[in-house]
Amino acid sequence: MGRTVVVLGGGISGLAASYHLSRAPCPPKVVLVEGSERLGGWIRSVRGPDGAIFELGPRGIRPAGALGARTLLMISELGLDSEVLPVRGDHPAAQNRFLYVGGALHALPTGLRGLLRPSPPFSKPLFWAGLRELITPRGKDPDETVHSFTQRRLGPEVASLAMDSLCRGVFAGNSRELSIRSCFPSLFQAEQTHRSVLLGLLLGAGRSPQPDSALIRQARAERWSQWSLRGGLETLPQALNTHLTSRGVSVLRGRPVCGLSLQAEGRWKVSLGDSSLDADHIISAVPASVLSQLLPVEAAPLARALSTITAVSVAVVNLQYRGARLPVQGFGHLVPSSEDPSTLGIVYDSVAFPEQDGSPPGLRVTVMLGGSWLQTLEARGCVLSRELFQQQAQEAAATQLGLKEPPSHCLVHLHKNCIPQYTLGHWQKLESATQFLAAQRLPLTLAGASYEGVAVNDCIESGRQAAFRVLGTEPNS
Ligand SMILES: Cc1cc2nc3c(=O)[nH]c(=O)nc-3n(C[C@H](O)[C@H](O)[C@H](O)COP(=O)(O)OP(=O)(O)OC[C@H]3O[C@@H](n4cnc5c(N)ncnc54)[C@H](O)[C@@H]3O)c2cc1C
């Protein structure tokens, strides 16, 4: 009888792991178990009454690098090429990003000329921060917070305005707690290898082998900065589901895993409450904190390490306005914590993807709320009502973008514990998990946003790597 691999979690990581398992020349029996009724995890797209698309989770995927190319390859393999909505390099959403500081929007400088010019909110041209970076010695610690690393290499303004905002935009997190080594590994590696981040980025880390396809070549030729799908990004998990089912993968929905136990022959029993599954190997693509609760006593040290990988919540407020205009054209703006502790940033969805505006077209923006403001409310056990988030988001849109009229449509979702936090020393947690799994020879492989990257591309890659580890084959490009 062939092996059975059970994949826990039907978010994009679990779907990607199942996808790569199912495409092996001699695939094992694959069972994907999802706790909710819907696949896709945080990837969720909702259609408004006028046909407009509202993304409740991710809204854009980057095509750059080997990971970006592999995701595009998967898109082609799934037959979704004609659904792709690119943001081409010459588009304002590719060229303009803003910071909201001191009550005003400031365009982030681009190109060499931009770096030489004074660029508020920074007091001096960023060229000077670059010069400082080039002559700063290499750090000696095995890890450092993003804030400390940036302050040491690029100065306090870049740390407290630019990197603080970036950490809020990508991780909804605090740059004074997040790890440079785990959150921005390319910056950490560039310093380690070339002593300077700028030198490292200029000289490059050497190109890793990349797949090739017509879509990948098009993305390169047109310098796409990101892309979405016509019907919203949830089209991707839906297409993966159709593909998996056609390949004989059992996809179970509405079946939360409630425990894992090891049997005498080294096989797993996966408890689903009223029934169970036997597995030769498990790929876990549920959050680390969830897995830590499912593991048996034999794996207590692993459970302890995983339980320390926490996540923060984000309130996503999608707003649509009739007859309104934005003061600037770009991807969106980020807000440093010193300016507004509640608003992480606002994405100008209609600029990047006007095709999703509905009919008649309405201006769509998404306000992301979180940070210390939300953490404090959660810690105090406050009532987190829809009205609270809607009011906060409308105020931010009015103050920061001049959108003072009430929105014609509004969606409010509080995503609890949705973004894992790679805090200082995260790499040690991963190392102790890896060592435990190797020493105990546990047939368990970890995938998902909890470990080595939260972006959709990172999650897809983690699923791919997990599948190849289980299959015992080397991933090709
Ligand atoms: C608001 C927001 C905006 C984002 N924006 C972007 C963006 O623009 N671009 C980008 O690249 N990335 C973005 N991200 C990040 C990215 O979307 C996520 O990191 C990624 O989707 C996580 O995928 P995952 O499969 O690892 O985890 P999840 O999506 O969390 O999937 C885990 C799955 O496991 C299931 N599960 C949990 N417990 C059990 C159980 N006991 N039994 C069975 N199943 C269980 C859950 O229901 C879920 O479906 C964003 C994230 C958020 C929250």
Side-chain angles (χ1 to χ4, degrees), residues 58 105 196 278 381 442 465:
L105 288 170
S196 151
D278 289 330
L442 274 191
Q465 295 282 348

Side-chain angles (χ1 to χ4, degrees), residues 359-401:
S359 175
L363 174 69
R364 293 167 305 122
V365 299
T366 306
V367 182
M368 303 281 182
L369 301 170
S372 62
W373 173 77
L374 184 53
Q375 279 171 15
T376 309
L377 292 180
E378 284 183 315
R380 287 190 189 144
C382 296
V383 179
L384 300 174
S385 67
R386 187 197 133 84
E387 290 71 29
L388 170 75
F389 294 126
Q390 179 167 349
Q391 191 195 353
Q392 196 76 21
Q394 278 181 226
E395 264 174 42
T399 318
Q400 297 173 17
L401 291 174

